[in-house]
Amino acid sequence: MGVVKKVDEELKRSMESIKEKIKSDDILNRILTNEAGQVNEGENDWKVECGREIVEIYKKLVNIVDKLRVVS
Protein backbone atom coordinates (compact mmCIF):
# COMPACT_ATOMS: atom_id res chain seq x y z
CA MET A 1 0.00 0.00 0.00
CA GLY A 2 1.39 3.39 -0.99
CA VAL A 3 2.02 6.24 1.37
CA VAL A 4 -0.75 8.34 -0.16
CA LYS A 5 -3.27 5.54 0.25
CA LYS A 6 -2.21 4.99 3.88
CA VAL A 7 -2.61 8.68 4.64
CA ASP A 8 -5.99 8.73 2.91
CA GLU A 9 -7.20 5.74 4.92
CA GLU A 10 -5.94 7.25 8.18
CA LEU A 11 -7.67 10.56 7.41
CA LYS A 12 -10.88 8.70 6.60
CA ARG A 13 -10.73 6.78 9.90
CA SER A 14 -9.94 9.92 11.87
CA MET A 15 -12.78 11.89 10.32
CA GLU A 16 -15.23 9.06 10.97
CA SER A 17 -14.04 8.87 14.58
CA ILE A 18 -14.56 12.61 15.06
CA LYS A 19 -17.99 12.41 13.43
CA GLU A 20 -19.03 9.52 15.69
CA LYS A 21 -17.91 11.45 18.78
CA ILE A 22 -19.92 14.47 17.66
CA LYS A 23 -22.96 12.28 16.99
CA SER A 24 -22.68 10.66 20.41
CA ASP A 25 -23.03 14.03 22.14
CA ASP A 26 -26.60 15.35 22.21
CA ILE A 27 -25.73 19.04 21.90
CA LEU A 28 -23.04 18.58 19.24
CA ASN A 29 -25.24 16.26 17.20
CA ARG A 30 -28.12 18.76 17.22
CA ILE A 31 -25.79 21.55 16.14
CA LEU A 32 -24.31 19.37 13.38
CA THR A 33 -27.75 18.47 12.04
CA ASN A 34 -28.92 22.10 12.22
CA GLU A 35 -31.35 21.35 15.04
CA ALA A 36 -29.67 23.83 17.38
CA GLY A 37 -33.03 25.41 18.11
CA GLN A 38 -33.95 22.24 19.96
CA VAL A 39 -30.98 22.50 22.34
CA ASN A 40 -32.34 23.02 25.84
CA GLU A 41 -29.48 25.18 27.09
CA GLY A 42 -29.67 28.95 26.67
CA GLU A 43 -27.99 30.73 23.79
CA ASN A 44 -25.22 32.05 26.06
CA ASP A 45 -24.48 28.70 27.64
CA TRP A 46 -20.78 27.83 27.27
CA LYS A 47 -21.54 24.26 26.16
CA VAL A 48 -23.62 25.49 23.24
CA GLU A 49 -21.09 28.16 22.26
CA CYS A 50 -18.18 25.71 22.44
CA GLY A 51 -20.26 23.12 20.61
CA ARG A 52 -20.88 25.52 17.75
CA GLU A 53 -17.17 26.21 17.48
CA ILE A 54 -16.33 22.49 17.53
CA VAL A 55 -18.85 21.73 14.79
CA GLU A 56 -17.62 24.65 12.66
CA ILE A 57 -14.02 23.45 12.99
CA TYR A 58 -15.13 19.92 12.06
CA LYS A 59 -16.92 21.21 8.94
CA LYS A 60 -13.83 23.18 7.88
CA LEU A 61 -11.66 20.12 8.47
CA VAL A 62 -13.97 18.02 6.30
CA ASN A 63 -13.57 20.56 3.49
CA ILE A 64 -9.78 20.53 3.82
CA VAL A 65 -9.65 16.73 3.80
CA ASP A 66 -11.88 16.63 0.70
CA LYS A 67 -9.57 19.09 -1.08
CA LEU A 68 -6.52 17.03 -0.11
CA ARG A 69 -8.13 13.92 -1.60
CA VAL A 70 -8.66 15.75 -4.90
CA VAL A 71 -5.05 16.94 -4.98
CA SER A 72 -3.57 13.55 -4.17
Side-chain angles (χ1 to χ4, degrees), residues 33-53:
T33 58
N34 294 321
E35 298 173 3
Q38 296 179 6
V39 175
N40 293 331
E41 281 75 14
E43 283 295 315
N44 295 325
D45 189 80
W46 68 271
K47 290 179 186 177
V48 175
E49 290 302 315
C50 290
R52 284 191 179 109
E53 290 182 32

PDB file of all heavy atoms in Angstrom, residues 33-53:
ATOM      1  N   THR A  33     -26.598  18.733  12.912  1.00  0.00           N
ATOM      2  CA  THR A  33     -27.748  18.467  12.045  1.00  0.00           C
ATOM      3  C   THR A  33     -28.674  19.675  11.927  1.00  0.00           C
ATOM      4  O   THR A  33     -29.821  19.546  11.500  1.00  0.00           O
ATOM      5  CB  THR A  33     -28.544  17.249  12.550  1.00  0.00           C
ATOM      6  OG1 THR A  33     -28.983  17.494  13.896  1.00  0.00           O
ATOM      7  CG2 THR A  33     -27.714  15.987  12.491  1.00  0.00           C
ATOM      8  N   ASN A  34     -28.162  20.841  12.310  1.00  0.00           N
ATOM      9  CA  ASN A  34     -28.918  22.097  12.219  1.00  0.00           C
ATOM     10  C   ASN A  34     -30.209  22.075  13.018  1.00  0.00           C
ATOM     11  O   ASN A  34     -31.203  22.676  12.628  1.00  0.00           O
ATOM     12  CB  ASN A  34     -29.197  22.461  10.759  1.00  0.00           C
ATOM     13  CG  ASN A  34     -27.937  22.778  10.014  1.00  0.00           C
ATOM     14  OD1 ASN A  34     -27.031  23.405  10.552  1.00  0.00           O
ATOM     15  ND2 ASN A  34     -27.855  22.321   8.781  1.00  0.00           N
ATOM     16  N   GLU A  35     -30.199  21.376  14.130  1.00  0.00           N
ATOM     17  CA  GLU A  35     -31.347  21.349  15.038  1.00  0.00           C
ATOM     18  C   GLU A  35     -31.002  22.101  16.322  1.00  0.00           C
ATOM     19  O   GLU A  35     -31.483  21.778  17.392  1.00  0.00           O
ATOM     20  CB  GLU A  35     -31.730  19.910  15.368  1.00  0.00           C
ATOM     21  CG  GLU A  35     -32.167  19.099  14.167  1.00  0.00           C
ATOM     22  CD  GLU A  35     -32.384  17.637  14.505  1.00  0.00           C
ATOM     23  OE1 GLU A  35     -32.250  17.255  15.688  1.00  0.00           O
ATOM     24  OE2 GLU A  35     -32.669  16.872  13.585  1.00  0.00           O
ATOM     25  N   ALA A  36     -30.142  23.105  16.198  1.00  0.00           N
ATOM     26  CA  ALA A  36     -29.666  23.831  17.377  1.00  0.00           C
ATOM     27  C   ALA A  36     -30.796  24.508  18.126  1.00  0.00           C
ATOM     28  O   ALA A  36     -30.690  24.752  19.326  1.00  0.00           O
ATOM     29  CB  ALA A  36     -28.604  24.855  16.976  1.00  0.00           C
ATOM     30  N   GLY A  37     -31.890  24.795  17.455  1.00  0.00           N
ATOM     31  CA  GLY A  37     -33.032  25.410  18.111  1.00  0.00           C
ATOM     32  C   GLY A  37     -33.662  24.495  19.137  1.00  0.00           C
ATOM     33  O   GLY A  37     -34.371  24.943  20.029  1.00  0.00           O
ATOM     34  N   GLN A  38     -33.388  23.201  19.030  1.00  0.00           N
ATOM     35  CA  GLN A  38     -33.953  22.236  19.960  1.00  0.00           C
ATOM     36  C   GLN A  38     -33.040  21.975  21.155  1.00  0.00           C
ATOM     37  O   GLN A  38     -33.355  21.168  22.012  1.00  0.00           O
ATOM     38  CB  GLN A  38     -34.225  20.926  19.241  1.00  0.00           C
ATOM     39  CG  GLN A  38     -35.265  21.052  18.154  1.00  0.00           C
ATOM     40  CD  GLN A  38     -35.492  19.739  17.436  1.00  0.00           C
ATOM     41  OE1 GLN A  38     -34.964  18.708  17.812  1.00  0.00           O
ATOM     42  NE2 GLN A  38     -36.287  19.780  16.377  1.00  0.00           N
ATOM     43  N   VAL A  39     -31.893  22.657  21.203  1.00  0.00           N
ATOM     44  CA  VAL A  39     -30.984  22.496  22.336  1.00  0.00           C
ATOM     45  C   VAL A  39     -31.606  23.193  23.533  1.00  0.00           C
ATOM     46  O   VAL A  39     -32.035  24.341  23.440  1.00  0.00           O
ATOM     47  CB  VAL A  39     -29.595  23.093  22.013  1.00  0.00           C
ATOM     48  CG1 VAL A  39     -28.685  23.032  23.221  1.00  0.00           C
ATOM     49  CG2 VAL A  39     -28.973  22.355  20.836  1.00  0.00           C
ATOM     50  N   ASN A  40     -31.658  22.496  24.662  1.00  0.00           N
ATOM     51  CA  ASN A  40     -32.336  23.024  25.841  1.00  0.00           C
ATOM     52  C   ASN A  40     -31.579  24.136  26.540  1.00  0.00           C
ATOM     53  O   ASN A  40     -32.169  24.987  27.177  1.00  0.00           O
ATOM     54  CB  ASN A  40     -32.611  21.899  26.839  1.00  0.00           C
ATOM     55  CG  ASN A  40     -33.621  20.915  26.303  1.00  0.00           C
ATOM     56  OD1 ASN A  40     -34.481  21.259  25.507  1.00  0.00           O
ATOM     57  ND2 ASN A  40     -33.521  19.670  26.721  1.00  0.00           N
ATOM     58  N   GLU A  41     -30.267  24.149  26.420  1.00  0.00           N
ATOM     59  CA  GLU A  41     -29.484  25.178  27.092  1.00  0.00           C
ATOM     60  C   GLU A  41     -29.731  26.529  26.434  1.00  0.00           C
ATOM     61  O   GLU A  41     -30.096  26.613  25.269  1.00  0.00           O
ATOM     62  CB  GLU A  41     -27.987  24.852  27.026  1.00  0.00           C
ATOM     63  CG  GLU A  41     -27.525  23.819  28.030  1.00  0.00           C
ATOM     64  CD  GLU A  41     -27.925  22.406  27.658  1.00  0.00           C
ATOM     65  OE1 GLU A  41     -28.325  22.153  26.525  1.00  0.00           O
ATOM     66  OE2 GLU A  41     -27.828  21.552  28.540  1.00  0.00           O
ATOM     67  N   GLY A  42     -29.484  27.600  27.191  1.00  0.00           N
ATOM     68  CA  GLY A  42     -29.668  28.950  26.666  1.00  0.00           C
ATOM     69  C   GLY A  42     -28.620  29.296  25.629  1.00  0.00           C
ATOM     70  O   GLY A  42     -27.580  28.657  25.536  1.00  0.00           O
ATOM     71  N   GLU A  43     -28.891  30.325  24.866  1.00  0.00           N
ATOM     72  CA  GLU A  43     -27.989  30.727  23.794  1.00  0.00           C
ATOM     73  C   GLU A  43     -26.599  31.098  24.318  1.00  0.00           C
ATOM     74  O   GLU A  43     -25.622  30.940  23.627  1.00  0.00           O
ATOM     75  CB  GLU A  43     -28.584  31.907  23.022  1.00  0.00           C
ATOM     76  CG  GLU A  43     -29.681  31.512  22.080  1.00  0.00           C
ATOM     77  CD  GLU A  43     -29.195  30.607  20.946  1.00  0.00           C
ATOM     78  OE1 GLU A  43     -28.148  30.904  20.364  1.00  0.00           O
ATOM     79  OE2 GLU A  43     -29.886  29.630  20.662  1.00  0.00           O
ATOM     80  N   ASN A  44     -26.504  31.615  25.514  1.00  0.00           N
ATOM     81  CA  ASN A  44     -25.220  32.046  26.056  1.00  0.00           C
ATOM     82  C   ASN A  44     -24.508  30.944  26.835  1.00  0.00           C
ATOM     83  O   ASN A  44     -23.440  31.167  27.369  1.00  0.00           O
ATOM     84  CB  ASN A  44     -25.402  33.272  26.946  1.00  0.00           C
ATOM     85  CG  ASN A  44     -25.885  34.463  26.150  1.00  0.00           C
ATOM     86  OD1 ASN A  44     -25.512  34.633  25.002  1.00  0.00           O
ATOM     87  ND2 ASN A  44     -26.725  35.280  26.749  1.00  0.00           N
ATOM     88  N   ASP A  45     -25.075  29.797  26.906  1.00  0.00           N
ATOM     89  CA  ASP A  45     -24.482  28.695  27.642  1.00  0.00           C
ATOM     90  C   ASP A  45     -23.153  28.304  26.999  1.00  0.00           C
ATOM     91  O   ASP A  45     -23.059  28.155  25.781  1.00  0.00           O
ATOM     92  CB  ASP A  45     -25.449  27.503  27.648  1.00  0.00           C
ATOM     93  CG  ASP A  45     -24.980  26.419  28.574  1.00  0.00           C
ATOM     94  OD1 ASP A  45     -25.185  26.547  29.794  1.00  0.00           O
ATOM     95  OD2 ASP A  45     -24.393  25.462  28.065  1.00  0.00           O
ATOM     96  N   TRP A  46     -22.111  28.111  27.808  1.00  0.00           N
ATOM     97  CA  TRP A  46     -20.780  27.833  27.273  1.00  0.00           C
ATOM     98  C   TRP A  46     -20.733  26.520  26.504  1.00  0.00           C
ATOM     99  O   TRP A  46     -19.981  26.391  25.533  1.00  0.00           O
ATOM    100  CB  TRP A  46     -19.726  27.852  28.374  1.00  0.00           C
ATOM    101  CG  TRP A  46     -19.841  26.726  29.362  1.00  0.00           C
ATOM    102  CD1 TRP A  46     -20.571  26.710  30.516  1.00  0.00           C
ATOM    103  CD2 TRP A  46     -19.210  25.451  29.272  1.00  0.00           C
ATOM    104  NE1 TRP A  46     -20.446  25.501  31.141  1.00  0.00           N
ATOM    105  CE2 TRP A  46     -19.609  24.712  30.411  1.00  0.00           C
ATOM    106  CE3 TRP A  46     -18.357  24.862  28.360  1.00  0.00           C
ATOM    107  CZ2 TRP A  46     -19.170  23.408  30.641  1.00  0.00           C
ATOM    108  CZ3 TRP A  46     -17.922  23.574  28.590  1.00  0.00           C
ATOM    109  CH2 TRP A  46     -18.332  22.866  29.719  1.00  0.00           C
ATOM    110  N   LYS A  47     -21.540  25.541  26.879  1.00  0.00           N
ATOM    111  CA  LYS A  47     -21.542  24.265  26.162  1.00  0.00           C
ATOM    112  C   LYS A  47     -22.032  24.446  24.726  1.00  0.00           C
ATOM    113  O   LYS A  47     -21.492  23.861  23.790  1.00  0.00           O
ATOM    114  CB  LYS A  47     -22.419  23.246  26.876  1.00  0.00           C
ATOM    115  CG  LYS A  47     -21.878  22.759  28.182  1.00  0.00           C
ATOM    116  CD  LYS A  47     -22.839  21.769  28.820  1.00  0.00           C
ATOM    117  CE  LYS A  47     -22.384  21.370  30.190  1.00  0.00           C
ATOM    118  NZ  LYS A  47     -23.333  20.474  30.853  1.00  0.00           N
ATOM    119  N   VAL A  48     -23.055  25.253  24.570  1.00  0.00           N
ATOM    120  CA  VAL A  48     -23.616  25.495  23.240  1.00  0.00           C
ATOM    121  C   VAL A  48     -22.633  26.300  22.400  1.00  0.00           C
ATOM    122  O   VAL A  48     -22.389  25.983  21.238  1.00  0.00           O
ATOM    123  CB  VAL A  48     -24.985  26.206  23.331  1.00  0.00           C
ATOM    124  CG1 VAL A  48     -25.504  26.564  21.958  1.00  0.00           C
ATOM    125  CG2 VAL A  48     -25.985  25.337  24.082  1.00  0.00           C
ATOM    126  N   GLU A  49     -22.041  27.335  22.991  1.00  0.00           N
ATOM    127  CA  GLU A  49     -21.087  28.159  22.257  1.00  0.00           C
ATOM    128  C   GLU A  49     -19.863  27.339  21.847  1.00  0.00           C
ATOM    129  O   GLU A  49     -19.425  27.411  20.697  1.00  0.00           O
ATOM    130  CB  GLU A  49     -20.660  29.368  23.096  1.00  0.00           C
ATOM    131  CG  GLU A  49     -21.761  30.393  23.279  1.00  0.00           C
ATOM    132  CD  GLU A  49     -22.294  30.931  21.957  1.00  0.00           C
ATOM    133  OE1 GLU A  49     -21.492  31.259  21.065  1.00  0.00           O
ATOM    134  OE2 GLU A  49     -23.529  31.014  21.831  1.00  0.00           O
ATOM    135  N   CYS A  50     -19.326  26.563  22.764  1.00  0.00           N
ATOM    136  CA  CYS A  50     -18.177  25.710  22.435  1.00  0.00           C
ATOM    137  C   CYS A  50     -18.575  24.646  21.421  1.00  0.00           C
ATOM    138  O   CYS A  50     -17.805  24.316  20.514  1.00  0.00           O
ATOM    139  CB  CYS A  50     -17.617  25.044  23.689  1.00  0.00           C
ATOM    140  SG  CYS A  50     -16.798  26.197  24.793  1.00  0.00           S
ATOM    141  N   GLY A  51     -19.769  24.125  21.554  1.00  0.00           N
ATOM    142  CA  GLY A  51     -20.265  23.122  20.611  1.00  0.00           C
ATOM    143  C   GLY A  51     -20.342  23.666  19.204  1.00  0.00           C
ATOM    144  O   GLY A  51     -19.960  22.993  18.241  1.00  0.00           O
ATOM    145  N   ARG A  52     -20.812  24.885  19.079  1.00  0.00           N
ATOM    146  CA  ARG A  52     -20.884  25.517  17.749  1.00  0.00           C
ATOM    147  C   ARG A  52     -19.488  25.652  17.144  1.00  0.00           C
ATOM    148  O   ARG A  52     -19.286  25.399  15.959  1.00  0.00           O
ATOM    149  CB  ARG A  52     -21.548  26.883  17.840  1.00  0.00           C
ATOM    150  CG  ARG A  52     -23.038  26.798  18.003  1.00  0.00           C
ATOM    151  CD  ARG A  52     -23.691  28.168  17.810  1.00  0.00           C
ATOM    152  NE  ARG A  52     -25.125  28.026  17.952  1.00  0.00           N
ATOM    153  CZ  ARG A  52     -25.827  28.491  18.976  1.00  0.00           C
ATOM    154  NH1 ARG A  52     -25.229  29.157  19.932  1.00  0.00           N
ATOM    155  NH2 ARG A  52     -27.130  28.305  19.038  1.00  0.00           N
ATOM    156  N   GLU A  53     -18.540  26.060  17.964  1.00  0.00           N
ATOM    157  CA  GLU A  53     -17.166  26.205  17.480  1.00  0.00           C
ATOM    158  C   GLU A  53     -16.586  24.854  17.065  1.00  0.00           C
ATOM    159  O   GLU A  53     -15.933  24.758  16.018  1.00  0.00           O
ATOM    160  CB  GLU A  53     -16.295  26.853  18.549  1.00  0.00           C
ATOM    161  CG  GLU A  53     -16.621  28.315  18.771  1.00  0.00           C
ATOM    162  CD  GLU A  53     -15.718  28.958  19.802  1.00  0.00           C
ATOM    163  OE1 GLU A  53     -14.547  28.563  19.911  1.00  0.00           O
ATOM    164  OE2 GLU A  53     -16.199  29.869  20.496  1.00  0.00           O
TER     165      GLU A  53
END
